[in-house]
């Protein structure tokens, strides 16, 4: 029978993420950044911090899996008119379609757990772009190469 630290090994997390070591990755949209925390294996989803400046909008999109969003700072206004501020939590079920914008004077930072993909929609509901664990990881690795910094292994096994 194991004792001490060895006895706790089975109960410890597989990985502890040091988010201070992960850079904010700028998006194609100025004022929008992501900080990846975990990419789930088999393209199942990802966890990230999302930062957006006041006045920016998240365009119309659909979730193929569930999303959990916890606002850390700033305020966003959902397409339904609801205001989501610091400490507020939003659950979005698979298939949810929405858009939202950042309101107020403070950047919004939210912790997102995204299962599946985010599909950005165009006219007639056509999918214009998809954000997946694979695409988010590729953007992170590309940014690290450009900055000449080694990427951390953020992939779930």
């Amino acid at each position: 029978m194991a004792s001490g630290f060895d006895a706790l090994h089975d109960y410890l997390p597989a990985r502890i993420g040091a988010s201070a070591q992960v850079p904010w990755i700028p998006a194609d949209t100025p004022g929008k950044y992501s900080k990846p925390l975990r990419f789930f294996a088999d393209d199942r989803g990802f966890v990230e911090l999302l930062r957006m400046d006041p006045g920016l909008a998240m365009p119309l999109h659909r979730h193929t899996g569930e999303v959990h969003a916890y606002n850390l700072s700033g305020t966003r206004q959902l397409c339904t008119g609801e205001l989501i501020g610091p400490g507020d939590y939003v659950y979005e079920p698979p298939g949810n379609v929405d858009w939202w914008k950042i309101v107020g004077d403070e950047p919004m930072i939210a912790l997102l757990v995204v299962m599946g993909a985010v599909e950005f929609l165009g006219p007639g509901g056509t999918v214009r772009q998809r954000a997946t664990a694979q695409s988010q990881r590729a953007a992170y690795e590309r940014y690290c190469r450009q900055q000449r910094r080694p990427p951390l292994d953020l992939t779930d096994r």
Side-chain angles (χ1 to χ4, degrees):
M1 180 173 177
S3 63
F5 179 75
D6 292 335
L8 295 175
H9 185 267
D10 290 338
Y11 300 100
L12 295 175
R15 290 220 172 97
I16 297 174
S19 65
Q21 297 175 4
V22 180
W24 285 102
I25 311 300
D28 292 338
T29 303
K32 180 181 175 188
Y33 305 85
S34 65
K35 183 184 279 249
L37 301 175
R38 176 73 58 217
F39 304 113
F40 296 128
D42 301 322
D43 213 23
R44 293 186 337 263
F46 55 94
V47 180
E48 70 178 12
L49 291 173
L50 175 66
R51 185 175 87 203
M52 293 175 66
D53 289 343
L56 288 183
M58 180 64 73
L60 186 65
H61 61 279
R62 173 178 52 228
H63 300 286
T64 66
E66 63 185 35
V67 173
H68 302 268
Y70 182 80
N71 252 55
L72 297 166
S73 65
T75 303
R76 61 188 176 120
Q77 184 175 23
L78 303 182
C79 58
T80 58
E82 296 168 277
L83 294 175
I84 308 301
D88 289 339
Y89 165 80
V90 175
Y91 168 75
E92 298 181 54
N96 188 65
V97 176
D98 70 339
W99 62 270
W100 43 269
K101 63 183 175 181
I102 309 307
V103 296
D105 299 329
E106 183 180 3
M108 186 272 321
I109 298 177
L111 172 65
L112 301 177
V113 178
V114 178
M115 302 308 295
V118 180
E119 299 177 326
F120 293 94
L121 303 175
T126 59
V127 177
R128 299 174 81 178
Q129 185 179 3
R130 289 172 50 91
T132 65
Q134 185 177 355
S135 69
Q136 298 299 93
R137 182 177 42 240
Y140 168 63
E141 291 172 351
R142 183 172 47 254
Y143 181 80
C144 288
R145 277 193 308 274
Q146 292 168 350
Q147 300 299 311
R148 292 186 167 89
R149 62 185 298 155
L152 299 175
D153 182 6
L154 302 175
T155 302
D156 183 44
R157 303 282 180 232

